[in-house]
Amino acid sequence: MANQINQPILPAARTLKEFDELMETCYERIILLNAHIAQVKPLGKRARAFGKKLLIHADLIDGLKSDEYAMDFLAQEVKPDGIITTRNSVILAAKKKGLISIQRLFLIDTMALDSSLTQLERTKPDYVEVLPGIIPHLIEEITERTKIPIIAGGFIRTKEDVDRALQAGATSVTTSRRELWAKS
């Protein structure tokens, strides 16, 4: 895969202060979770100036409807390395633009798992972010059934949570916990 993510921790900034802190870290890839639509273009430019590859959670950008048109805007104006979303149409649009596509799945029960697996067959994202990321057997099952690399996210609170997710087969772990950013 040309856009392979080779980073066990993917730090996720929820605030502009956290985003600024990430500019000074050794992490190549970072995630922008929350921002206003007017902020994303300058933030993308800032990330590139610091040599960072930005992954944007399209569903969490205030003022941006997460659809194919939003994907066009992000790809042309912000130029992120990739997109995280729950929406099939945005995954397909990101793939057409050559961006890393990360489909976020909320696994709350067996029906959600089955529906998600069907969804993944249609969209074939580059990565799947599994939430909650603290259930090793689900990471193993999805990896085995889809052959799509897994990113674990949600409720990752300790170094042990990170280690368990990675041992279960996750390629990376997303976390907004600053104390885990320093433990890469």
Side-chain angles (χ1 to χ4, degrees), residues 5 31-33 54-61 64-72 74 80-96 99-107 116 119-120 123-131 148 151 174:
I5 297 174
I31 297 172
L32 177 61
L33 290 178
L54 185 60
L55 303 170
I56 294 178
H57 195 309
D59 302 349
L60 299 179
I61 302 300
L64 184 73
K65 181 179 176 186
S66 191
D67 62 12
E68 306 89 79
Y69 301 111
M71 189 61 253
D72 288 342
L74 290 173
D81 200 45
I83 298 296
I84 302 168
T85 183
T86 58
R87 302 183 185 285
N88 294 348
S89 62
V90 177
I91 288 293
L92 296 171
K95 289 175 64 165
K96 285 181 185 175
L99 301 177
I100 294 173
S101 59
I102 303 170
Q103 187 136 17
R104 192 176 226 205
L105 304 178
F106 295 97
L107 301 178
S116 294
Q119 186 174 319
L120 294 174
T123 59
K124 297 180 179 23
D126 297 311
Y127 292 87
V128 177
E129 184 183 23
V130 173
L131 288 96
I148 299 171
I151 297 171
T174 60

Side-chain angles (χ1 to χ4, degrees), residues 4-11 29 31 55 102 127-130 133 139 149-153 156 162 165-166 169-175:
Q4 191 165 4
I5 297 174
N6 293 315
Q7 193 175 297
I9 299 283
L10 288 169
R29 293 186 195 272
I31 297 172
L55 303 170
I102 303 170
Y127 292 87
V128 177
E129 184 183 23
V130 173
I139 294 169
I150 302 295
I151 297 171
I156 304 290
V162 171
L166 295 172
T171 60
S172 298
V173 173
T174 60
T175 182

Side-chain angles (χ1 to χ4, degrees), residues 90-182:
V90 177
I91 288 293
L92 296 171
K95 289 175 64 165
K96 285 181 185 175
K97 297 289 182 185
L99 301 177
I100 294 173
S101 59
I102 303 170
Q103 187 136 17
R104 192 176 226 205
L105 304 178
F106 295 97
L107 301 178
I108 57 172
D109 58 22
T110 302
M111 278 180 41
L113 173 61
D114 292 341
S115 172
S116 294
L117 291 170
T118 300
Q119 186 174 319
L120 294 174
E121 287 176 23
R122 278 193 305 259
T123 59
K124 297 180 179 23
D126 297 311
Y127 292 87
V128 177
E129 184 183 23
V130 173
L131 288 96
I134 55 167
I135 308 175
H137 69 275
L138 282 179
I139 294 169
E140 292 169 356
E141 181 178 344
I142 293 169
T143 301
E144 177 64 30
R145 290 176 70 177
T146 67
K147 308 298 187 223
I148 299 171
I150 302 295
I151 297 171
F155 292 112
I156 304 290
R157 296 179 174 157
T158 66
K159 175 76 169 106
E160 291 75 28
D161 292 337
V162 171
D163 292 340
R164 276 191 290 273
L166 295 172
Q167 289 168 1
T171 60
S172 298
V173 173
T174 60
T175 182
S176 57
R177 288 190 173 254
R178 290 183 184 146
E179 59 270 21
L180 294 178
W181 296 354

